[in-house]
């Protein structure tokens, strides 16, 4: 029997940024440890990537423009875990930065459009019928020397809006919505208020593997 192939697509939270070693401490790497034989886990995370597309060059962070994207759709998959949104919400990144730091109705519509296109592509290119669409994780950055009040306020507001959109996208697209917000509300699990530390990445891996253990039909 061939191994169950799981593709983890996302940004730096998938890549394992701020862990002690992304190759061994990212959440996909920890999933390999937790699941054991019978599973192939692909880390297709790319630091700084957005769900939003390039939109004629207006956004230079699109996940679709990365080698990680090509890696994520290169072969059939039994499960795709899609965790993208932190950089879309960042008021200093991409299209949000060009809009004064805030998501508006136009950006929200584009996010939904691009997310649904991602899902369609994974179903077509990877022949994948199980796609888990994840909520954006919490933000614990604080006002101080690195971040001013406008940055924090915009970031939190954008993330709150994205979580509403992510719920809608999952429902409309027939994907499983994975709550990676509520159980990850542990400030001590974060290295810099956004990216996880080793304990946080292990906790995220456990969240996914516990759900994987409940899956009985992979085709």
């Amino acid at each position: 029997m061939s191994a169950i192939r799981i593709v983890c697509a996302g940004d730096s939270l998938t890549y394992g940024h701020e862990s002690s070693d992304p190759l061994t401490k990212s959440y996909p790497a920890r999933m390999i440890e937790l699941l054991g034989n019978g599973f192939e886990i692909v880390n297709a995370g790319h630091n700084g990537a957005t769900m939003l597309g390039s939109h004629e060059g207006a956004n230079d962070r699109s996940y679709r423009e990365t080698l990680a994207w090509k890696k994520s759709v290169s072969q059939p998959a039994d499960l795709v875990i899609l965790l993208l949104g932190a950089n879309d919400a960042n008021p200093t990144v991409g299209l949000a930065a060009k809009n004064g730091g805030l998501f508006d109705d136009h950006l929200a519509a584009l996010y939904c459009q691009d997310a649904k296109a991602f899902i369609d592509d994974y179903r077509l290119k990877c022949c994948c019928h199980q796609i888990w669409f994840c909520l954006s994780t919490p933000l614990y950055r604080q006002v101080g020397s690195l971040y001013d009040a406008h940055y924090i306020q915009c970031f939190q507001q954008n993330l709150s809006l994205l979580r509403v959109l992510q719920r809608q996208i999952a429902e409309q697209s027939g994907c499983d919505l994975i709550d990676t917000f509520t159980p990850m509300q542990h400030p001590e699990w974060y290295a810099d208020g956004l990216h996880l530390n080793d304990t946080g990445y292990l906790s995220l891996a456990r969240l996914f593997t516990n759900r994987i253990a409940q899956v009985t039909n992979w085709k």
Side-chain angles (χ1 to χ4, degrees):
M1 181 178 178
S2 59
I4 295 169
R5 191 170 192 268
I6 299 174
V7 173
C8 304
D11 50 32
S12 50
L13 289 166
T14 298
Y15 175 79
H17 185 64
E18 291 291 345
S19 69
S20 59
D21 178 12
L23 290 177
T24 60
K25 301 300 183 182
S26 64
Y27 92 72
R30 302 313 297 268
M31 285 176 63
I32 295 173
E33 297 177 10
L34 294 169
L35 290 171
N37 296 330
F39 290 85
E40 176 190 357
I41 313 295
V42 178
N43 186 337
H46 184 88
N47 291 343
T50 61
M51 178 78 77
L52 284 163
S54 61
H55 296 286
E56 298 181 357
N59 175 32
D60 62 358
R61 299 290 192 98
S62 173
Y63 184 71
R64 283 182 180 274
E65 305 300 321
T66 68
L67 291 176
W69 158 253
K70 294 179 180 179
K71 179 180 180 180
S72 74
V73 295
S74 63
Q75 297 182 49
D78 298 291
L79 169 66
V80 173
I81 301 174
L82 186 55
L83 177 59
L84 272 169
N87 293 301
D88 296 284
N90 190 323
T92 65
V93 169
L95 293 177
K98 293 178 171 63
N99 195 48
L102 282 173
F103 249 60
D104 58 12
D105 290 344
H106 176 62
L107 291 187
L110 288 177
Y111 182 90
C112 292
Q113 169 191 302
D114 291 349
K116 291 173 183 177
F118 264 81
I119 293 167
D120 288 344
D121 275 348
Y122 283 120
R123 285 175 172 155
L124 178 63
K125 296 177 183 295
C126 298
C127 304
C128 185
H129 302 291
Q130 296 204 53
I131 299 174
W132 292 357
F133 201 75
C134 302
L135 292 180
S136 292
T137 53
L139 176 72
Y140 288 109
R141 287 179 173 171
Q142 302 292 322
V143 176
S145 59
L146 295 177
Y147 313 110
D148 61 23
H150 177 74
Y151 171 91
I152 298 297
Q153 181 179 0
C154 289
F155 212 152
Q156 293 286 18
Q157 184 174 327
N158 291 343
L159 284 170
S160 294
L161 173 58
L162 282 184
R163 292 186 192 105
V164 172
L165 298 176
Q166 288 158 354
R167 292 181 183 278
Q168 294 173 355
I169 292 163
E171 180 178 1
Q172 293 169 3
S173 300
C175 296
D176 285 353
L177 179 75
I178 308 299
D179 184 359
T180 38
F181 172 66
T182 306
M184 297 303 292
Q185 294 184 48
H186 288 266
E188 69 276 13
W189 291 353
Y190 292 77
D192 61 0
L194 174 64
H195 301 98
L196 299 165
N197 56 29
D198 288 356
T199 301
Y201 283 118
L202 177 58
S203 299
L204 188 58
R206 284 175 173 158
L207 188 158
F208 290 131
T209 54
N210 287 342
R211 192 175 181 96
I212 286 169
Q214 301 169 7
V215 175
T216 58
N217 180 20
W218 287 102
K219 302 297 181 183

